[in-house]
Amino acid sequence: MNKPELHIVILAAGRGKRMRSQLPKVLQPVGGQPMLTHVLEAAQQLPYDQIHVVYGHGGEQIRKVFADSPVNWVEQSEQLGTGHAVAQAMPLIPDNADVLVLMGDQPLITTQTLQILMIAGGDLALLTMKLDDPSGYGRIVRNVAGDFTAIVEHADATSLQLEINEVNSGVYRFPAGRLKQWLSRLDSSNAAGENYLTDVLAMAVAEQLWTKTREVDDPNELLGANDKRQLARLERIYQQRQSDQLMDAGVTLADPGRLDVRGRVQTGEDVYLDINTVLIGKNFLADGVSIGPGCVLEDCRLAAGTQVLANSVLQGVVTEGACSIGPFARLRSGTVLAAGVKIGNFVETKKAVIGANSKASHLSYLGDSVLGANVNVGAGTITCNYDGVNKYQTTIGDNVFIGSDSQLVAPVSIGSGAFIGAGSTITQNAPEDKLTLSRRKQVTIDRWQPPKRRQRSSD
Ligand code: UD1
Ligand code: CA
């Protein structure tokens, strides 16, 4: 017998009014990514045939963000309830399929937990959790024998039922054909006046289908976010997970509570992250990389032994060997540093390819530049790469010494072994192995007198 198809339906049509935001609820970020991204990632690792996302509020925005996702978009133009939402996707799902229903605002769900539901057996299955404070959630009602009988929503529950602390997570597996029939029988005669998806479970029980419940170990996984406080809570749980994963991979964290990962990190051995590190996008940190306090790294590839000192911001940086960066350095995209490069405090680089063992230790701007090996860039050196309209290239050969406070007006090239006198404004190419400088000779005025305080009449 062929395995039934698996169709995953993600409910994402809610407005999320309590977020008080222009951004639709499922686009609110956790770990720098929309909540829906996390749900999709967990779902996509299952052997599914089709993922359907039910959208409504902010549909245009959502579809734009997920334009590249191979999901089937189903519009629910009016939010008439979770049952109505699922019903919108059903015409596209064959009767013999399994349907997994997920909520778009439960970003901490993991594939492993979804698998528990997949292998739970029975005709249908749902994930439950026990909460100290179950308010707001649908309660799991059982008979005296302990068998599941129904879900009762908070607003519709009796005071006895409100005492139940086992709640519905909102994640279910249904047989598609039956689900279609049940959904067609739903009405909105309840406290919310909505079509409750949860009502189909009592129908399944009445038809004596085998309904399995599985309680999850970690209720955190199924927490949703309706407002910014809950969103912040999810963020902290998410970040704790990232810290745990990094530590499991051998990374030393100065403080697991003061690290934010907004993307993916790959690490070698003996990587060290000091406090308040923010890692954005895709970062690769090879063996022995050390990141000082207060650094931001976005889409960087740092080679083994690279040291980033306090308060540095790196975007799209590649180091090809051990380098020293910072403190207070800003390295922008297109910065490629060969082994042994030193970039010191208050240095900004952009599209700068810098050769082995070259140094810019203080207060410089290196943009649209190619530097050879063993170059010494003096404090205050600026590549003037922009004339207000176009950008131009600066090329510097090997073993060049650039005296402090020099301006290199691009396009310009400095030959290997050249020495640029301090305070020069270089507008033409400087030849190899020669001293070039462009400043006036120093003069001293012998007859000079220091200024005297003027006598004022009122004094
Ligand atoms: C729902 C469950 C409740 C469960 C809880 C878990 C129902 C009736 N109740 O309650 O038993 O404990 O989730 O978090 O299902 N949505 C749509 N279209 C709609 C209505 C909702 O797409 O017409 C989406 C929302 O965007 C959201 C999800 O469905 O992602 C859940 O809706 P929500 O209103 O938050 O349900 P809860 O009241 O939390
Ligand atoms: Ca909810």
Side-chain angles (χ1 to χ4, degrees), residues 18 25 103 105-106 136-137 224-226 230:
R18 280 171 290 168
K25 182 172 173 180
M103 307 282 186
D105 63 347
Q106 290 178 331
Y137 286 86
N226 295 320
Q230 291 173 344

Side-chain angles (χ1 to χ4, degrees), residues 403-416:
S404 296
D405 191 28
S406 294
Q407 301 91 52
L408 309 177
V409 182
V412 72
S413 101
I414 313 292
S416 292

Side-chain angles (χ1 to χ4, degrees), residues 23-80:
L23 209 57
K25 182 172 173 180
V26 292
L27 293 186
Q28 299 286 336
V30 167
Q33 302 269 23
M35 291 202 276
L36 184 56
T37 301
H38 298 286
V39 179
L40 280 171
E41 279 178 3
Q44 277 163 346
Q45 289 172 57
L46 294 172
Y48 68 92
D49 292 279
Q50 183 66 264
I51 295 180
H52 310 267
V53 178
V54 181
Y55 72 97
H57 279 285
E60 283 308 304
Q61 258 175 295
I62 297 172
R63 291 190 61 165
K64 215 161 142 191
V65 172
F66 292 94
D68 298 332
S69 292
V71 305
N72 177 40
W73 296 97
V74 182
E75 188 173 3
Q76 183 195 24
S77 42
E78 258 188 297
Q79 278 70 62
L80 303 176

Side-chain angles (χ1 to χ4, degrees), residues 329-411:
R330 178 171 185 218
L331 277 55
R332 295 161 57 199
S333 63
T335 297
V336 180
L337 309 181
V341 166
K342 181 179 180 219
I343 302 291
N345 42 227
F346 309 109
V347 173
E348 176 179 343
T349 65
K350 187 216 73 178
K351 287 192 189 155
V353 178
I354 301 182
N357 301 312
S358 290
K359 293 179 174 51
S361 298
H362 340 261
L363 300 156
S364 280
Y365 174 61
L366 300 172
D368 301 302
S369 303
V370 178
L371 280 70
N374 302 308
V375 173
N376 192 315
V377 178
T381 298
I382 307 291
T383 54
C384 309
N385 62 331
Y386 187 48
D387 63 5
V389 183
N390 295 303
K391 300 272 171 82
Y392 301 96
Q393 191 80 16
T394 300
T395 309
I396 300 174
D398 296 338
N399 305 309
V400 166
F401 185 97
I402 304 194
S404 296
D405 191 28
S406 294
Q407 301 91 52
L408 309 177
V409 182

